[in-house]
């Protein structure tokens, strides 16, 4: 991408973007020279012309997509997870999670600040609903005169630190994590168009995290009646979405984009993230779904290979699946028809209920104490090999989601 200030104007991105070009001249150190002879360090995609973080060319990357109906808790979950991952990975797993693209990650870092970095613990805070277009998307003209909307991912690097048992292999073990958070409306049947291919990342995704919200289901709401004062259970204007239909729509888009037959199960892992467990968690008996299932003591030589207790996570998953089979059987059937490997994880992004103030759902900053938000990610990272270990006290069960 050009660097000289006279070179604004690009046919794909418009007048406010610096011109993209295929370089033919270079500095002795290998930097491309633009038309005005300025050395350029930023890279852009030859197809959509959007800038590409250099780290994506240097390390392997994995895409994880967060999907679900509007208001199911995707953005709160992602914000709580990214904030707590930065800490859990550093403290318990000797892994550093850093913003690979600070400009592209601006929204999520702002969201983390809004929920977790308030001076006044009594302040009522909230996250805006994810917009269907705007700052979190890029508009490009792939065909002259036709604007196409592309969502922007959040990019993080995950790298072993000096204490990690495999610190010497840090260069090759470093991975880039690409996370997509769409507006729920993008997943509703009929919402995708050629000019708004906002969910194409799904087919490239390694793990589709479907956020299932029990408070949007009438049968869960009936079961929870009287046991919680969460306004989401009593709100009269609640729009109960068919979450199974949205899951099937997501699966059919993935099959279409990946060129798979309509009855083939997806190769990606499906993680059903069952949100807002502070409201319904008591329906999963005899399990601790608040404290993280991690086992992380330093080894005798002082190095660390943090482990996740997979037995516990899979036992909770099996119990939660049974509960959902009983209450929302069409959803569990849709999930097992969609993917070979399905893991159910209960999470609460806030650990407390919001209260309604001036038409907005807000939570007291000091009350936010998330439950299990990092588990879907750490379980996924443990599949990558060599960066996170796992604890098993028995043979993996037949339903294990390991590769
Ligand atoms: N009780 C409880 N409420 C939650 C939790 N997480 C989110 N909420 C509430 O759920 C509502 C929707 O959360 P969002 O994260 O904005 O939902 P979303 O899926 O991103 O919605 P869209 O951006 O519209 O697709 C908010 O009013 C939150 O207060 C939770 O862990 N517990
Ligand atoms: Mg959102």
């Amino acid at each position: 991408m050009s660097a000289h200030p006279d070179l604004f104007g690009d046919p794909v991105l418009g007048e406010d973007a610096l011109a993209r070009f295929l370089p033919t001249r270079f500095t002795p150190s290998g930097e491309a020279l633009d038309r005005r002879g300025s050395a350029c360090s930023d890279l852009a995609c030859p197809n959509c012309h959007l800038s590409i973080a250099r780290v994506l060319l240097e390390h392997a990357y994995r895409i994880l997509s967060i999907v679900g109906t509007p208001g199911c808790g995707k953005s709160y979950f992602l914000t709580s997870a990214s904030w707590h991952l930065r800490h859990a990975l550093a403290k318990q797993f000797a892994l550093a999670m850093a913003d690979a693209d600070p400009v592209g990650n601006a929204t999520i870092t702002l969201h983390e600040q809004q929920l977790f970095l308030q001076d006044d613990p009594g302040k009522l805070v909230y996250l805006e609903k994810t917009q269907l277009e705007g700052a979190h998307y890029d508009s490009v003209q792939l065909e002259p005169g036709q604007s196409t909307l592309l969502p922007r991912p959040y990019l993080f690097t995950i790298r072993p630190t000096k204490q990690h048992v495999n610190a010497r292999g840090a260069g090759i073990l470093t991975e880039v994590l690409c996370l997509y958070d769409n507006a729920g409306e993008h997943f509703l049947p009929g919402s995708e168009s050629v000019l708004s291919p906002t969910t194409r990342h799904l087919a490239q995704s390694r793990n589709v995290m479907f956020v299932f919200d029990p408070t949007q289901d009438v049968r869960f709401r009936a079961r929870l009646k009287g046991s919680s004062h969460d306004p989401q259970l009593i709100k009269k204007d609640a729009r109960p979405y068919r979450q199974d239909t949205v899951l099937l729509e997501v699966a059919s888009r993935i099959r279409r984009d990946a060129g798979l037959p309509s009855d083939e199960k997806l190769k990606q892992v499906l993680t059903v993230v069952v949100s807002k467990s502070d409201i319904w968690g008591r329906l999963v008996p005899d399990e601790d779904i608040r404290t993280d299932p991690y086992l992380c003591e330093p080894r005798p030589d002082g190095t660390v290979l943090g482990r996740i207790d997979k037995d516990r996570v899979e036992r909770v998953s099996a119990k939660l699946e049974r509960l959902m089979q009983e209450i929302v059987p069409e959803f569990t059937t849709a999930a097992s028809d969609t993917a070979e490997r399905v893991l159910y994880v209960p999470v609460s992004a806030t650990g407390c209920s919001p209260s309604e103030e001036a038409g907005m759902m807000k939570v007291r900053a000091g009350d936010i104490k998330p439950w299990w938000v990092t588990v879907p990610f750490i379980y996924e990272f443990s599949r990558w090999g060599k960066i996170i270990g796992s604890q098993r006290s028995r043979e993996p069960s037949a339903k294990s989601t390991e590769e």
Side-chain angles (χ1 to χ4, degrees):
M1 145 186 355
S2 307
H4 196 282
D6 286 352
L7 295 177
F8 270 95
D10 181 82
V12 175
L13 297 179
E15 287 175 5
D16 297 337
L18 282 158
R20 275 46 173 175
F21 66 102
L22 196 61
T24 48
R25 296 183 303 145
F26 298 88
T27 63
S29 59
E31 286 173 311
L33 289 171
D34 66 20
R35 268 193 288 131
R36 291 291 170 94
S38 292
C40 312
S41 52
D42 291 336
L43 306 172
C45 165
N47 184 30
C48 67
H49 288 202
L50 295 173
S51 52
I52 299 179
R54 195 170 281 275
V55 74
L56 283 169
L57 305 183
E58 295 165 350
H59 298 289
Y61 66 91
R62 318 233 187 187
I63 297 178
L64 269 60
S65 305
I66 318 293
V67 309
T69 51
C72 67
K74 297 179 294 298
S75 300
Y76 273 81
F77 161 57
L78 193 54
T79 305
S80 274
S82 64
W83 176 249
H84 284 88
L85 273 173
R86 294 177 198 270
H87 298 97
L89 288 176
K91 278 193 182 156
Q92 294 169 278
F93 295 91
L95 293 167
M97 174 163 153
D99 293 302
D101 177 9
V103 178
N105 284 11
T107 307
I108 198 156
T109 42
L110 175 70
H111 285 175
E112 288 176 3
Q113 231 164 303
Q114 285 171 321
L115 296 190
F116 298 104
L117 290 172
Q118 294 290 348
D119 275 334
D120 173 9
K123 184 164 178 197
L124 288 172
V125 295
Y126 68 99
L127 300 182
E128 297 272 359
K129 181 206 161 3
T130 309
Q131 300 302 307
L132 276 77
E133 48 189 47
H136 197 50
Y137 302 84
D138 288 297
S139 174
V140 299
Q141 294 210 8
L142 297 175
E143 297 293 333
Q146 267 189 7
S147 291
T148 306
L149 206 61
L150 300 173
R152 205 177 287 160
Y154 299 122
L155 298 179
F156 300 93
T157 51
I158 308 231
R159 171 180 57 78
T161 65
K162 276 196 299 207
Q163 287 76 41
H164 195 276
V165 70
N166 289 322
R168 275 193 293 170
I172 47 167
L173 292 176
T174 299
E175 303 245 10
V176 181
L177 179 64
C178 307
L179 296 173
Y180 280 92
D181 178 24
N182 285 74
E185 286 81 354
H186 287 150
F187 301 112
L188 301 180
S191 62
E192 206 186 42
S193 71
V194 179
L195 300 184
S196 182
T198 45
T199 60
R200 290 275 164 88
H201 51 86
L202 289 167
Q204 307 299 323
S205 180
R206 192 185 157 85
N207 189 324
V208 174
M209 297 197 175
F210 188 96
V211 179
F212 179 94
D213 178 0
T215 73
Q216 288 188 4
D217 185 89
V218 283
R219 292 153 294 176
F220 260 105
R221 291 160 71 87
R223 183 89 171 242
L224 293 165
K225 212 168 182 179
S227 66
S228 161
H229 297 297
D230 193 295
Q232 295 168 95
L233 285 178
I234 27 192
K235 238 175 49 182
K236 293 224 170 54
D237 63 345
R239 272 174 65 194
Y241 294 99
R242 282 286 302 262
Q243 298 183 77
D244 60 319
T245 309
V246 173
L247 174 60
L248 292 171
E249 166 72 13
V250 164
S252 95
R253 285 187 201 176
I254 295 177
R255 290 193 189 98
R256 181 199 64 198
D257 293 340
L260 298 173
S262 60
D263 53 353
E264 189 162 317
K265 292 199 180 184
L266 304 182
K267 63 179 186 321
Q268 355 332 58
V269 176
L270 172 65
T271 305
V272 180
V273 175
V274 189
S275 63
K276 312 182 186 178
S277 60
D278 53 292
I279 303 176
W280 57 267
R282 66 183 74 84
L283 300 180
V284 181
D286 311 321
E287 294 293 345
D288 173 7
I289 55 166
R290 292 192 191 203
T291 10
D292 287 334
Y294 308 144
L295 307 141
C296 308
E297 311 89 42
R299 295 147 67 97
D301 64 359
T303 61
V304 173
L305 178 65
R307 287 167 299 151
I308 177 165
D309 185 346
K310 286 198 167 177
D311 281 346
R312 192 173 143 202
V313 177
E314 286 164 18
R315 199 178 58 231
V316 169
S317 168
K319 283 192 182 176
L320 186 48
E321 185 177 8
R322 276 200 295 279
L323 175 75
M324 292 184 53
Q325 259 159 2
E326 190 194 318
I327 304 178
V328 284
E330 74 294 342
F331 183 86
T332 50
T333 305
S336 49
D337 282 352
T338 294
E340 290 292 348
R341 294 173 292 161
V342 187
L343 184 76
Y344 288 80
V345 185
V347 307
S348 171
T350 53
C352 62
S353 283
S355 46
E356 204 158 351
E357 199 211 55
M360 298 298 299
M361 293 286 190
K362 298 184 180 178
V363 276
R364 211 166 290 284
D367 291 345
I368 304 178
K369 306 266 175 331
W371 308 354
W372 272 39
V373 274
T374 55
V375 175
F377 293 92
I378 302 246
Y379 191 98
E380 166 63 26
F381 301 162
S382 73
R383 293 193 183 100
W384 297 2
K386 297 194 176 153
I387 57 166
I388 287 181
S390 55
Q391 164 94 356
R392 286 216 182 266
S393 53
R394 56 174 167 76
E395 287 301 301
S397 67
K399 291 222 79 172
S400 166
T401 61
E402 277 183 273
E403 281 171 332

PDB file of all heavy atoms in Angstrom, residues 63-85:
ATOM      1  N   ILE A  63      -9.243 -19.315  12.393  1.00  0.00           N
ATOM      2  CA  ILE A  63     -10.435 -18.465  12.491  1.00  0.00           C
ATOM      3  C   ILE A  63     -11.450 -19.128  13.423  1.00  0.00           C
ATOM      4  O   ILE A  63     -11.702 -20.331  13.308  1.00  0.00           O
ATOM      5  CB  ILE A  63     -11.049 -18.260  11.094  1.00  0.00           C
ATOM      6  CG1 ILE A  63     -10.050 -17.524  10.196  1.00  0.00           C
ATOM      7  CG2 ILE A  63     -12.371 -17.514  11.169  1.00  0.00           C
ATOM      8  CD1 ILE A  63     -10.521 -17.308   8.772  1.00  0.00           C
ATOM      9  N   LEU A  64     -11.992 -18.344  14.329  1.00  0.00           N
ATOM     10  CA  LEU A  64     -13.072 -18.813  15.197  1.00  0.00           C
ATOM     11  C   LEU A  64     -14.226 -17.834  15.025  1.00  0.00           C
ATOM     12  O   LEU A  64     -14.019 -16.625  15.139  1.00  0.00           O
ATOM     13  CB  LEU A  64     -12.630 -18.794  16.671  1.00  0.00           C
ATOM     14  CG  LEU A  64     -12.000 -20.057  17.261  1.00  0.00           C
ATOM     15  CD1 LEU A  64     -10.747 -20.457  16.543  1.00  0.00           C
ATOM     16  CD2 LEU A  64     -11.696 -19.847  18.727  1.00  0.00           C
ATOM     17  N   SER A  65     -15.400 -18.362  14.733  1.00  0.00           N
ATOM     18  CA  SER A  65     -16.540 -17.466  14.512  1.00  0.00           C
ATOM     19  C   SER A  65     -17.539 -17.603  15.650  1.00  0.00           C
ATOM     20  O   SER A  65     -17.871 -18.709  16.058  1.00  0.00           O
ATOM     21  CB  SER A  65     -17.249 -17.832  13.206  1.00  0.00           C
ATOM     22  OG  SER A  65     -16.335 -17.835  12.141  1.00  0.00           O
ATOM     23  N   ILE A  66     -18.008 -16.456  16.135  1.00  0.00           N
ATOM     24  CA  ILE A  66     -19.008 -16.449  17.202  1.00  0.00           C
ATOM     25  C   ILE A  66     -20.354 -16.189  16.529  1.00  0.00           C
ATOM     26  O   ILE A  66     -20.508 -15.156  15.861  1.00  0.00           O
ATOM     27  CB  ILE A  66     -18.751 -15.310  18.227  1.00  0.00           C
ATOM     28  CG1 ILE A  66     -17.255 -15.187  18.568  1.00  0.00           C
ATOM     29  CG2 ILE A  66     -19.597 -15.465  19.476  1.00  0.00           C
ATOM     30  CD1 ILE A  66     -16.644 -16.302  19.297  1.00  0.00           C
ATOM     31  N   VAL A  67     -21.298 -17.102  16.656  1.00  0.00           N
ATOM     32  CA  VAL A  67     -22.568 -16.932  15.953  1.00  0.00           C
ATOM     33  C   VAL A  67     -23.733 -17.090  16.928  1.00  0.00           C
ATOM     34  O   VAL A  67     -23.579 -17.646  18.016  1.00  0.00           O
ATOM     35  CB  VAL A  67     -22.710 -17.921  14.768  1.00  0.00           C
ATOM     36  CG1 VAL A  67     -21.507 -17.887  13.867  1.00  0.00           C
ATOM     37  CG2 VAL A  67     -22.918 -19.348  15.235  1.00  0.00           C
ATOM     38  N   GLY A  68     -24.893 -16.632  16.501  1.00  0.00           N
ATOM     39  CA  GLY A  68     -26.086 -16.767  17.347  1.00  0.00           C
ATOM     40  C   GLY A  68     -27.084 -15.669  17.020  1.00  0.00           C
ATOM     41  O   GLY A  68     -26.781 -14.721  16.275  1.00  0.00           O
ATOM     42  N   THR A  69     -28.263 -15.780  17.595  1.00  0.00           N
ATOM     43  CA  THR A  69     -29.353 -14.843  17.310  1.00  0.00           C
ATOM     44  C   THR A  69     -29.053 -13.451  17.905  1.00  0.00           C
ATOM     45  O   THR A  69     -28.198 -13.339  18.788  1.00  0.00           O
ATOM     46  CB  THR A  69     -30.649 -15.371  17.974  1.00  0.00           C
ATOM     47  OG1 THR A  69     -30.333 -15.656  19.339  1.00  0.00           O
ATOM     48  CG2 THR A  69     -31.162 -16.631  17.308  1.00  0.00           C
ATOM     49  N   PRO A  70     -29.779 -12.429  17.456  1.00  0.00           N
ATOM     50  CA  PRO A  70     -29.572 -11.101  18.053  1.00  0.00           C
ATOM     51  C   PRO A  70     -29.828 -11.146  19.560  1.00  0.00           C
ATOM     52  O   PRO A  70     -30.795 -11.767  20.009  1.00  0.00           O
ATOM     53  CB  PRO A  70     -30.633 -10.237  17.351  1.00  0.00           C
ATOM     54  CG  PRO A  70     -30.912 -10.947  16.060  1.00  0.00           C
ATOM     55  CD  PRO A  70     -30.747 -12.409  16.336  1.00  0.00           C
ATOM     56  N   GLY A  71     -28.933 -10.524  20.315  1.00  0.00           N
ATOM     57  CA  GLY A  71     -29.139 -10.404  21.767  1.00  0.00           C
ATOM     58  C   GLY A  71     -28.836 -11.660  22.570  1.00  0.00           C
ATOM     59  O   GLY A  71     -29.117 -11.716  23.767  1.00  0.00           O
ATOM     60  N   CYS A  72     -28.240 -12.686  21.938  1.00  0.00           N
ATOM     61  CA  CYS A  72     -28.005 -13.934  22.693  1.00  0.00           C
ATOM     62  C   CYS A  72     -26.784 -13.822  23.611  1.00  0.00           C
ATOM     63  O   CYS A  72     -26.547 -14.709  24.431  1.00  0.00           O
ATOM     64  CB  CYS A  72     -27.840 -15.117  21.736  1.00  0.00           C
ATOM     65  SG  CYS A  72     -26.348 -15.013  20.738  1.00  0.00           S
ATOM     66  N   GLY A  73     -25.990 -12.758  23.458  1.00  0.00           N
ATOM     67  CA  GLY A  73     -24.854 -12.560  24.370  1.00  0.00           C
ATOM     68  C   GLY A  73     -23.495 -12.743  23.720  1.00  0.00           C
ATOM     69  O   GLY A  73     -22.502 -12.922  24.430  1.00  0.00           O
ATOM     70  N   LYS A  74     -23.416 -12.660  22.391  1.00  0.00           N
ATOM     71  CA  LYS A  74     -22.134 -12.873  21.682  1.00  0.00           C
ATOM     72  C   LYS A  74     -21.077 -11.849  22.087  1.00  0.00           C
ATOM     73  O   LYS A  74     -19.944 -12.194  22.394  1.00  0.00           O
ATOM     74  CB  LYS A  74     -22.337 -12.802  20.149  1.00  0.00           C
ATOM     75  CG  LYS A  74     -23.236 -13.871  19.596  1.00  0.00           C
ATOM     76  CD  LYS A  74     -23.407 -13.744  18.103  1.00  0.00           C
ATOM     77  CE  LYS A  74     -24.139 -12.506  17.659  1.00  0.00           C
ATOM     78  NZ  LYS A  74     -25.527 -12.387  18.149  1.00  0.00           N
ATOM     79  N   SER A  75     -21.449 -10.570  22.050  1.00  0.00           N
ATOM     80  CA  SER A  75     -20.435  -9.530  22.281  1.00  0.00           C
ATOM     81  C   SER A  75     -19.978  -9.497  23.732  1.00  0.00           C
ATOM     82  O   SER A  75     -18.788  -9.293  24.013  1.00  0.00           O
ATOM     83  CB  SER A  75     -20.965  -8.157  21.869  1.00  0.00           C
ATOM     84  OG  SER A  75     -21.291  -8.181  20.497  1.00  0.00           O
ATOM     85  N   TYR A  76     -20.914  -9.707  24.668  1.00  0.00           N
ATOM     86  CA  TYR A  76     -20.505  -9.771  26.080  1.00  0.00           C
ATOM     87  C   TYR A  76     -19.583 -10.964  26.298  1.00  0.00           C
ATOM     88  O   TYR A  76     -18.567 -10.876  26.982  1.00  0.00           O
ATOM     89  CB  TYR A  76     -21.735  -9.893  26.997  1.00  0.00           C
ATOM     90  CG  TYR A  76     -22.346  -8.564  27.385  1.00  0.00           C
ATOM     91  CD1 TYR A  76     -23.208  -7.891  26.518  1.00  0.00           C
ATOM     92  CD2 TYR A  76     -22.081  -7.978  28.612  1.00  0.00           C
ATOM     93  CE1 TYR A  76     -23.789  -6.683  26.872  1.00  0.00           C
ATOM     94  CE2 TYR A  76     -22.653  -6.767  28.980  1.00  0.00           C
ATOM     95  CZ  TYR A  76     -23.498  -6.119  28.102  1.00  0.00           C
ATOM     96  OH  TYR A  76     -24.054  -4.912  28.451  1.00  0.00           O
ATOM     97  N   PHE A  77     -19.929 -12.100  25.699  1.00  0.00           N
ATOM     98  CA  PHE A  77     -19.112 -13.311  25.849  1.00  0.00           C
ATOM     99  C   PHE A  77     -17.715 -13.065  25.285  1.00  0.00           C
ATOM    100  O   PHE A  77     -16.701 -13.340  25.936  1.00  0.00           O
ATOM    101  CB  PHE A  77     -19.819 -14.476  25.128  1.00  0.00           C
ATOM    102  CG  PHE A  77     -18.930 -15.647  24.811  1.00  0.00           C
ATOM    103  CD1 PHE A  77     -18.232 -16.305  25.823  1.00  0.00           C
ATOM    104  CD2 PHE A  77     -18.777 -16.102  23.508  1.00  0.00           C
ATOM    105  CE1 PHE A  77     -17.399 -17.385  25.534  1.00  0.00           C
ATOM    106  CE2 PHE A  77     -17.955 -17.170  23.209  1.00  0.00           C
ATOM    107  CZ  PHE A  77     -17.259 -17.814  24.223  1.00  0.00           C
ATOM    108  N   LEU A  78     -17.649 -12.503  24.071  1.00  0.00           N
ATOM    109  CA  LEU A  78     -16.343 -12.297  23.433  1.00  0.00           C
ATOM    110  C   LEU A  78     -15.496 -11.304  24.227  1.00  0.00           C
ATOM    111  O   LEU A  78     -14.285 -11.495  24.405  1.00  0.00           O
ATOM    112  CB  LEU A  78     -16.565 -11.797  21.996  1.00  0.00           C
ATOM    113  CG  LEU A  78     -15.361 -11.808  21.095  1.00  0.00           C
ATOM    114  CD1 LEU A  78     -14.711 -13.181  21.067  1.00  0.00           C
ATOM    115  CD2 LEU A  78     -15.759 -11.418  19.677  1.00  0.00           C
ATOM    116  N   THR A  79     -16.141 -10.261  24.732  1.00  0.00           N
ATOM    117  CA  THR A  79     -15.396  -9.242  25.491  1.00  0.00           C
ATOM    118  C   THR A  79     -14.860  -9.827  26.802  1.00  0.00           C
ATOM    119  O   THR A  79     -13.682  -9.660  27.133  1.00  0.00           O
ATOM    120  CB  THR A  79     -16.325  -8.044  25.801  1.00  0.00           C
ATOM    121  OG1 THR A  79     -16.855  -7.579  24.575  1.00  0.00           O
ATOM    122  CG2 THR A  79     -15.604  -6.937  26.520  1.00  0.00           C
ATOM    123  N   SER A  80     -15.719 -10.545  27.532  1.00  0.00           N
ATOM    124  CA  SER A  80     -15.276 -11.164  28.790  1.00  0.00           C
ATOM    125  C   SER A  80     -14.189 -12.182  28.517  1.00  0.00           C
ATOM    126  O   SER A  80     -13.208 -12.275  29.259  1.00  0.00           O
ATOM    127  CB  SER A  80     -16.436 -11.925  29.443  1.00  0.00           C
ATOM    128  OG  SER A  80     -17.185 -11.074  30.210  1.00  0.00           O
ATOM    129  N   ALA A  81     -14.375 -12.956  27.443  1.00  0.00           N
ATOM    130  CA  ALA A  81     -13.405 -14.009  27.131  1.00  0.00           C
ATOM    131  C   ALA A  81     -12.062 -13.395  26.767  1.00  0.00           C
ATOM    132  O   ALA A  81     -11.021 -13.827  27.268  1.00  0.00           O
ATOM    133  CB  ALA A  81     -13.923 -14.886  25.996  1.00  0.00           C
ATOM    134  N   SER A  82     -12.054 -12.360  25.920  1.00  0.00           N
ATOM    135  CA  SER A  82     -10.758 -11.827  25.490  1.00  0.00           C
ATOM    136  C   SER A  82     -10.038 -11.189  26.683  1.00  0.00           C
ATOM    137  O   SER A  82      -8.833 -11.370  26.857  1.00  0.00           O
ATOM    138  CB  SER A  82     -10.898 -10.842  24.324  1.00  0.00           C
ATOM    139  OG  SER A  82     -11.614  -9.724  24.741  1.00  0.00           O
ATOM    140  N   TRP A  83     -10.783 -10.488  27.533  1.00  0.00           N
ATOM    141  CA  TRP A  83     -10.146  -9.858  28.704  1.00  0.00           C
ATOM    142  C   TRP A  83      -9.563 -10.920  29.638  1.00  0.00           C
ATOM    143  O   TRP A  83      -8.423 -10.827  30.081  1.00  0.00           O
ATOM    144  CB  TRP A  83     -11.185  -8.984  29.431  1.00  0.00           C
ATOM    145  CG  TRP A  83     -10.657  -8.370  30.680  1.00  0.00           C
ATOM    146  CD1 TRP A  83     -11.012  -8.674  31.959  1.00  0.00           C
ATOM    147  CD2 TRP A  83      -9.670  -7.335  30.780  1.00  0.00           C
ATOM    148  NE1 TRP A  83     -10.317  -7.899  32.853  1.00  0.00           N
ATOM    149  CE2 TRP A  83      -9.487  -7.066  32.154  1.00  0.00           C
ATOM    150  CE3 TRP A  83      -8.927  -6.602  29.858  1.00  0.00           C
ATOM    151  CZ2 TRP A  83      -8.585  -6.099  32.618  1.00  0.00           C
ATOM    152  CZ3 TRP A  83      -8.027  -5.646  30.316  1.00  0.00           C
ATOM    153  CH2 TRP A  83      -7.867  -5.407  31.671  1.00  0.00           C
ATOM    154  N   HIS A  84     -10.340 -11.963  29.918  1.00  0.00           N
ATOM    155  CA  HIS A  84      -9.863 -12.987  30.853  1.00  0.00           C
ATOM    156  C   HIS A  84      -8.847 -13.924  30.226  1.00  0.00           C
ATOM    157  O   HIS A  84      -7.990 -14.451  30.931  1.00  0.00           O
ATOM    158  CB  HIS A  84     -11.052 -13.740  31.463  1.00  0.00           C
ATOM    159  CG  HIS A  84     -11.727 -12.898  32.500  1.00  0.00           C
ATOM    160  ND1 HIS A  84     -12.728 -12.021  32.198  1.00  0.00           N
ATOM    161  CD2 HIS A  84     -11.468 -12.741  33.816  1.00  0.00           C
ATOM    162  CE1 HIS A  84     -13.078 -11.372  33.290  1.00  0.00           C
ATOM    163  NE2 HIS A  84     -12.328 -11.779  34.289  1.00  0.00           N
ATOM    164  N   LEU A  85      -8.909 -14.098  28.911  1.00  0.00           N
ATOM    165  CA  LEU A  85      -7.887 -14.930  28.249  1.00  0.00           C
ATOM    166  C   LEU A  85      -6.512 -14.303  28.391  1.00  0.00           C
ATOM    167  O   LEU A  85      -5.519 -14.977  28.628  1.00  0.00           O
ATOM    168  CB  LEU A  85      -8.195 -15.081  26.761  1.00  0.00           C
ATOM    169  CG  LEU A  85      -9.124 -16.227  26.360  1.00  0.00           C
ATOM    170  CD1 LEU A  85      -9.457 -16.140  24.877  1.00  0.00           C
ATOM    171  CD2 LEU A  85      -8.513 -17.588  26.682  1.00  0.00           C
TER     172      LEU A  85
END
